[in-house]
Amino acid sequence: MDKKILIALVALLSAAAVVMHNQPEQQDDYLQWKHKFGYTWTAEEDSFRKLIYLRNFEIIEKHNKDHTQTYKMGVNQFTGLTDAEFQMIYLTPRENPNKNNVDATMAPINADIDWTTKGQVSPVKDQGSCGSCWAFSAVGVLESWALSKGETVNLSEQQLVDCSGKYGNEGCNGG
């Protein structure tokens, strides 16, 4: 038997087991989800999407019941997609067909703007020996954005360094 067919068959049987295990309220959740995002399919496609939705719903519930997780998952417009479909649709770079088309009516870009003389850049700061360039660059962008809106703010790089450890940051050893 072809390996792809075997994998598809195992996936389909696993999904069917999930559907048989699910309670009626999850079936109602599927219908509400489908209505909320405006999905309509043929009966065959609907059965397939329902299996995917219920499998993903189970993954979401299992994740959210795990108290060691630092974030919560939720149902959204992507819950009816397989991982492969999501990757193909949203994570695969596509060639831009217009990349070589230049609109001749566009004004030329002046590449010689010095934003420091226009007061649109926050002052230079020194991170010292701490490997926190990621925090300094993030804060610098936010401070400059505020300046472009006419507001002066002084945000704390140190707060990012100190308070983001549970998200994979390693303090002064990189973020």
Side-chain angles (χ1 to χ4, degrees), residues 80-153:
L81 296 176
T82 66
D83 293 342
E85 288 173 322
F86 182 84
Q87 289 173 4
M88 180 61 76
I89 295 167
Y90 296 102
L91 304 179
T92 303
R94 291 186 173 79
E95 183 69 29
N96 181 353
N98 300 316
K99 75 176 182 181
N100 293 324
N101 297 342
V102 176
D103 185 351
T105 62
M106 290 179 60
I109 297 174
N110 182 354
D112 296 324
I113 296 174
D114 183 353
W115 292 106
T116 60
T117 62
K118 297 184 178 292
Q120 300 294 304
V121 179
S122 59
V124 174
K125 298 177 183 177
D126 184 2
Q127 73 184 40
S129 61
C130 179
S132 56
C133 57
W134 61 274
F136 278 79
S137 61
V139 165
V141 167
L142 292 172
E143 289 175 344
S144 294
W145 177 80
L147 286 169
S148 75
K149 302 292 182 195
E151 300 174 28
T152 302
V153 295

Side-chain angles (χ1 to χ4, degrees), residues 8-76:
L9 184 58
V10 168
L12 185 60
L13 290 172
S14 298
V18 168
V19 169
M20 291 180 176
H21 176 7
N22 286 309
Q23 297 147 353
E25 58 265 9
Q26 289 174 327
Q27 305 289 341
D28 292 340
D29 289 342
Y30 170 74
L31 294 174
Q32 290 174 8
W33 168 81
K34 195 169 83 163
H35 178 72
K36 178 179 180 179
F37 293 106
Y39 291 121
T40 55
W41 296 293
T42 64
E44 184 179 281
E45 179 77 8
D46 189 70
S47 295
F48 177 68
R49 293 295 157 196
K50 187 181 214 177
L51 290 173
I52 295 167
Y53 172 89
L54 292 172
R55 177 197 61 137
N56 288 336
F57 188 84
E58 190 171 272
I59 291 168
I60 291 166
E61 282 191 323
K62 181 179 178 186
H63 172 89
N64 290 345
K65 288 177 183 174
D66 181 354
H67 298 291
T68 64
Q69 296 297 332
T70 59
Y71 64 97
K72 295 290 182 192
M73 294 174 72
V75 172
N76 59 27

